[in-house]
């Protein structure tokens, strides 16, 4: 499936997304090499979630193009597995952990085909990877925040996609879950999969990731952590906004 | 078949047909859309009647269902404009469409069967008089055939698109990502709701369609925690409401449709109060247990803090304990009794002391094991839906 010629797992070109007339992303260019573990960091409202949603076609851009392994996004279905923010899912739906993770297999099944024993085994294997084997039959309404996050990760794993995008997976989870998620991501990286994580904790960027995108409506810089994750760049990403806040306060 | 049996049968089939799509509406938090659709179909029926002059024409069903879907489109367009809040959009669209229907009836259709009373309440009692006759053979009441066909249609759609409907309800963005257009699924469901509402409209009227669509699934939601059982239990509750409603209407000589809706409400009320895990009483009991449990842990931690200090007599003595914990005397006695029962504390004279078991519990509470305690308290989260 992968186009060896391009070398980029994900390419974003001149991407602009606006809600009404308010640009959330402004002319963003990004090239993600296959096999990296990339963090997307930036202040609140920088457009981090919007960028990954636009990359997957969940948000419609005003302008720009997204290519996945060198092909237009529209013709590259099944290449991206997504771990959304927890609130995306209706956790009060009456079903259990195994069923939610099995939903990750629906894409391969296509319309109207029901899931069966094969899909169940895939889901069980994914749940084992995220340490949730003991909770297969637990109703999803009864899960803690960390368990919910593990379920969403399991649902992404079962899709077995070459690109995995996670939106704030460490938000509000306990320390063991954070370690478990990192373990799973490292495993995916060893398989040569590309990992893109919307992240908010600057401290852990060098430890968890090898590349980084600094985003604040515009793409400030992206590349290997060792080159791009500099004080200068962080000030460009976060500092500007602080300045705006200060002037507003003075006006008030 | 006696007319009575025919009425009950039409009621049961209508109620089950309505409860099936209603289950999705309840879980998608769009219950009020059923209200909108069941009213908005009226102008469709009236306009189609102008063209066909036949209340039994299938065209009526198609036109009415189309108006129902139109109502959904208009509501969503209003919501997207961001000029009106979501619930207000529903409240704006369906009275507009419904009033068009009412005006059209009162102006042009005064003499025919379409009158405003039957629109609101249906006329199930007269349903057996309207027969489906083919080549001179009486095949039974027409409403039974119509609703039967709609019930089968709903079963087929749900059976076929089982995983798609479920996926789009649990997580629409995953559905989109996996290539199952949530918009397509949404409008298919809305079409199903519209067709069901049109069919049920004739039997039970527009207001009571809402009761049949929403109350039985909401009842089932409180009683089970898997989707398939919720769907079937909702259908069973709906059927039982139809039977019970007819019985009450027969005994008291009151409106059949009204009694059926009342029975739906009664079943919901019973589940709301007495559901084993999610009911009001079960929740109250659980909260009391949790409060007691928390009190016991607080007591043990308090004792451990002070029991080997000079202030032990003041802090751990029964007479002053309630004062230090800022509890009422009654609650303090209750918590102490419970802690003693669990052998977490022991008493020597007036002085309380945490036991070794109590010490272990307290240590567990302040180290990593709070995670397990947390997940245990999440276990029986109440319903957020209704």
């Amino acid at each position: 499936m992968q186009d060896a010629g391009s070398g980029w797992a994900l390419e974003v070109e001149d991407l602009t997304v606006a809600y009404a007339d308010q640009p959330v992303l402004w002319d963003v260019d990004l090239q993600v090499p296959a096999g990296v573990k990339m963090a997307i960091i930036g202040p609140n409202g920088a457009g981090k979630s919007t960028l990954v949603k636009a990359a997957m076609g969940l948000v419609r851009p005003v302008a720009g193009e997204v290519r996945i392994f060198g092909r237009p996004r529209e013709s590259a279905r099944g290449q991206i597995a997504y771990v959304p923010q927890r609130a995306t899912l209706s956790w009060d739906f009456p079903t259990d952990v195994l069923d939610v993770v099995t939903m990750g297999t629906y894409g391969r099944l296509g319309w109207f085909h029901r899931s069966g024993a094969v899909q169940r085994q895939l889901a069980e294997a994914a749940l084992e990877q995220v340490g949730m084997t003991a909770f297969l039959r637990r109703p999803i309404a009864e899960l803690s925040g960390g368990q919910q996050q593990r379920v969403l990760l399991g649902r992404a794993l079962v899709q077995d996609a070459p690109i995995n995008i996670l939106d704030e997976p460490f938000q509000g989870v306990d320390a063991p879950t954070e370690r478990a998620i990192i373990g799973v991501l490292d495993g995916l990286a060893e398989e040569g999969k590309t990992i893109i994580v919307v992240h908010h904790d600057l401290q852990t960027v060098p430890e968890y990731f090898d590349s980084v995108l600094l985003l604040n409506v515009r793409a400030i810089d992206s590349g290997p952590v060792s080159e791009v994750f500099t004080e200068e760049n962080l000030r460009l990403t976060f500092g500007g906004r602080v300045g705006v806040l200060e002037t507003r306060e003075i006006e008030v | 078949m006696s007319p009575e049996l025919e009425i009950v049968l039409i009621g049961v089939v209508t109620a089950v047909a309505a409860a099936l799509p209603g289950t999705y509406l309840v879980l998608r938090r769009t219950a009020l859309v059923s209200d909108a659709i069941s009213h908005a179909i009226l102008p469709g029926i009236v306009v189609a009647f102008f063209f066909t002059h036949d209340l039994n024409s299938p065209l009526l069903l198609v036109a009415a269902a189309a108006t129902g879907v139109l109502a959904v489109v208009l509501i969503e367009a209003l919501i997207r404009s961001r000029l009106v809040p979501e619930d207000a959009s529903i409240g704006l669209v369906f009275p507009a469409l419904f009033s068009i229907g009412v005006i059209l009836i009162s102006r042009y259709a005064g003499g025919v069967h379409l009158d405003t009373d039957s629109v609101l309440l249906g006329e199930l009692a007269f349903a057996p008089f309207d027969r489906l006759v083919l080549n001179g053979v009486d095949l039974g009441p027409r409403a039974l055939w119509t609703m039967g066909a709609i019930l089968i249609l709903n079963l087929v759609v749900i059976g076929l698109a089982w995983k798609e409907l479920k996926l789009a309800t649990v997580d629409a963005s995953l559905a989109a990502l996996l290539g199952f257009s949530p918009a397509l699924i949404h409008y298919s469901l809305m079409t199903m709701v519209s067709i069901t509402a049109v069919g049920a409209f004739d039997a039970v009227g527009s207001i009571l369609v809402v009761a049949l669509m929403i109350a039985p699934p909401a009842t089932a939601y409180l009683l089970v925690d898997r989707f398939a059982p919720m769907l079937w239990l909702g259908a069973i509750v709906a059927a039982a409401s139809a039977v019970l409603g007819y019985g009450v209407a027969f005994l008291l000589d009151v409106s059949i449709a009204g009694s059926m809706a009342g029975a739906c409400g009664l079943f919901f009320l019973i589940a709301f109060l007495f559901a084993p895990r999610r009911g009001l009483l079960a929740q109250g009991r659980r909260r009391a247990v949790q409060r007691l449990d928390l009190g016991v842990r607080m007591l043990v931690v308090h004792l451990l803090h002070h029991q080997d200090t000079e202030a032990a007599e003041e802090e751990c003595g029964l007479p002053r304990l309630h004062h230090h914990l800022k509890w009422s005397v009654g609650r303090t006695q209750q918590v102490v009794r419970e802690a003693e029962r669990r052998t977490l504390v022991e008493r020597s004279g007036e002085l309380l002391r945490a036991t070794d078991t109590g010490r272990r519990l307290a240590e567990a509470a302040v180290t990593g094991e709070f995670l397990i305690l947390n997940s245990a308290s999440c276990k029986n989260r109440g319903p957020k839906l209704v």
Side-chain angles (χ1 to χ4, degrees), chain B residues 50-323:
Chain B
F50 286 151
F51 287 102
T52 59
H53 296 284
D54 175 11
L55 271 176
N56 297 318
S57 161
L59 195 67
L60 242 65
L61 204 107
V62 175
T67 329
V69 176
L70 174 73
V72 176
V73 172
L74 290 175
I75 289 167
E76 281 164 7
L78 265 184
I79 294 171
R80 260 199 310 279
S81 77
R82 290 170 186 240
L83 299 174
V84 208
E86 190 167 334
D87 49 350
S89 326
I90 296 178
L92 284 165
V93 168
F94 85 78
L97 290 169
F98 187 66
S99 60
I100 292 172
V102 171
I103 290 168
L104 287 176
I105 289 178
S106 62
R107 180 71 185 81
Y108 299 107
V112 288
H113 156 91
L114 270 178
D115 61 80
T116 37
D117 279 352
S118 72
V119 161
L120 289 175
L121 295 167
E123 36 190 39
L124 197 48
F126 303 128
F129 298 123
D130 186 7
R131 317 295 294 183
L132 183 66
V133 182
L134 214 65
N135 295 329
V137 182
D138 180 4
L139 296 175
R142 185 182 297 275
L144 190 56
W145 283 94
T146 313
M147 281 320 297
I150 291 172
L151 173 59
I152 290 169
L153 175 79
N154 288 350
L155 283 171
V156 167
V157 171
I158 289 172
L160 207 62
W162 178 263
K163 82 172 193 301
E164 287 77 8
L165 281 165
K166 194 168 66 171
L167 175 60
T169 302
V170 174
D171 187 348
S173 67
L174 182 71
L177 206 60
L178 295 181
F180 304 100
S181 161
L184 181 65
I185 295 168
H186 176 65
Y187 281 105
S188 306
L189 179 63
M190 291 305 144
T191 307
M192 188 157 73
V193 171
S194 292
I195 292 173
T196 311
V198 180
F201 180 88
D202 212 30
V204 295
S206 60
I207 296 176
L208 304 175
V209 174
V210 181
L212 290 177
M213 280 197 180
I214 304 309
T219 306
Y221 181 78
L222 294 175
L223 295 170
V224 294
D225 51 17
R226 292 295 186 282
F227 180 66
M230 176 180 167
L231 194 69
W232 305 133
L233 185 59
I236 291 168
V237 171
S241 303
V243 175
L244 179 66
Y246 181 77
V248 170
F250 185 81
L251 287 175
L252 304 180
D253 191 23
V254 291
S255 152
I256 300 174
S259 311
M260 285 183 178
C264 288
L266 183 68
F267 281 122
F268 175 76
L269 188 67
I270 292 171
F272 183 71
L273 292 176
F274 304 111
R277 279 178 12 150
R278 297 175 162 192
L280 217 53
L281 293 185
Q283 278 191 12
R285 265 200 307 275
R286 198 158 50 239
R287 260 195 295 276
V289 169
Q290 283 169 352
R291 214 170 96 83
L292 186 61
D293 190 59
L294 179 68
V296 167
R297 274 184 279 156
M298 285 166 69
L299 172 68
V300 172
V301 171
H302 176 81
L303 293 179
L304 285 169
H305 252 243
H306 299 289
Q307 61 189 13
D308 291 320
T309 65
E310 285 170 9
E313 197 147 335
E314 166 72 12
E315 293 278 351
C316 308
L318 275 174
R320 303 275 300 151
L321 188 60
H322 69 275
H323 175 74

Side-chain angles (χ1 to χ4, degrees), chain A residues 31-228:
Chain A
Q31 289 169 322
V32 183
V36 298
K37 276 192 289 182
M38 176 178 272
I40 299 179
I41 58 172
N44 289 333
K48 304 186 291 287
S49 294
T50 307
L51 173 61
V52 296
K53 282 182 186 158
M56 292 178 289
L58 294 176
V59 166
R60 195 187 296 256
V62 184
E65 200 184 349
V66 174
R67 278 191 302 277
I68 293 161
F69 293 115
R71 292 191 302 173
R73 184 191 58 71
E74 294 77 11
S75 62
R77 181 158 288 151
Q79 302 294 300
I80 298 180
Y82 174 44
V83 177
Q85 292 189 10
R86 289 208 308 277
T88 313
L89 201 116
S90 301
W91 293 102
D92 48 16
F93 188 92
T95 193
D96 58 26
V97 164
L98 184 64
D99 191 37
V100 169
V101 173
T102 308
M103 289 178 189
T105 67
Y106 286 2
R108 297 240 162 95
L109 284 169
W111 282 90
F112 307 133
H113 293 278
R114 297 274 192 104
S115 62
V118 176
Q119 285 73 32
R120 194 198 146 108
Q121 275 165 15
L122 289 170
E124 283 177 357
L127 279 165
E128 192 173 345
Q129 269 183 277
V130 295
M132 288 286 287
T133 304
F135 299 91
L136 291 188
R137 288 296 172 195
R138 176 71 58 93
I140 57 172
E142 298 174 3
L143 300 176
S144 69
Q147 291 167 338
Q148 289 179 347
Q149 196 66 56
R150 287 165 189 250
V151 168
L152 289 177
L153 183 59
R155 197 185 70 173
L157 286 176
V158 92
Q159 296 171 48
D160 191 28
I163 302 174
N164 290 267
I165 296 181
L166 296 83
D167 195 348
E168 301 267 16
F170 308 119
Q171 187 79 52
V173 305
D174 48 276
T177 298
E178 178 155 344
R179 282 195 299 276
I181 294 172
I182 283 301
V184 170
L185 294 185
D186 286 344
L188 289 174
E190 273 166 35
E191 292 173 34
K193 296 190 165 166
T194 309
I195 293 148
I196 300 169
V197 179
V198 173
H199 195 55
H200 68 282
D201 181 11
L202 293 179
Q203 305 256 325
T204 50
V205 168
E207 183 190 343
Y208 291 169
F209 302 97
D210 53 33
S211 336
V212 64
L213 162 69
L214 296 134
L215 186 75
N216 190 352
V217 185
R218 290 160 175 276
I220 308 296
D221 203 354
S222 67
V225 170
S226 54
E227 292 168 26
V228 174

Side-chain angles (χ1 to χ4, degrees), chain B residues 358-372:
Chain B
R359 185 181 294 276
R360 276 196 297 278
L361 175 96
E363 278 165 2
V366 292
T367 58
E369 285 177 57
F370 69 89
L371 288 172
I372 295 161

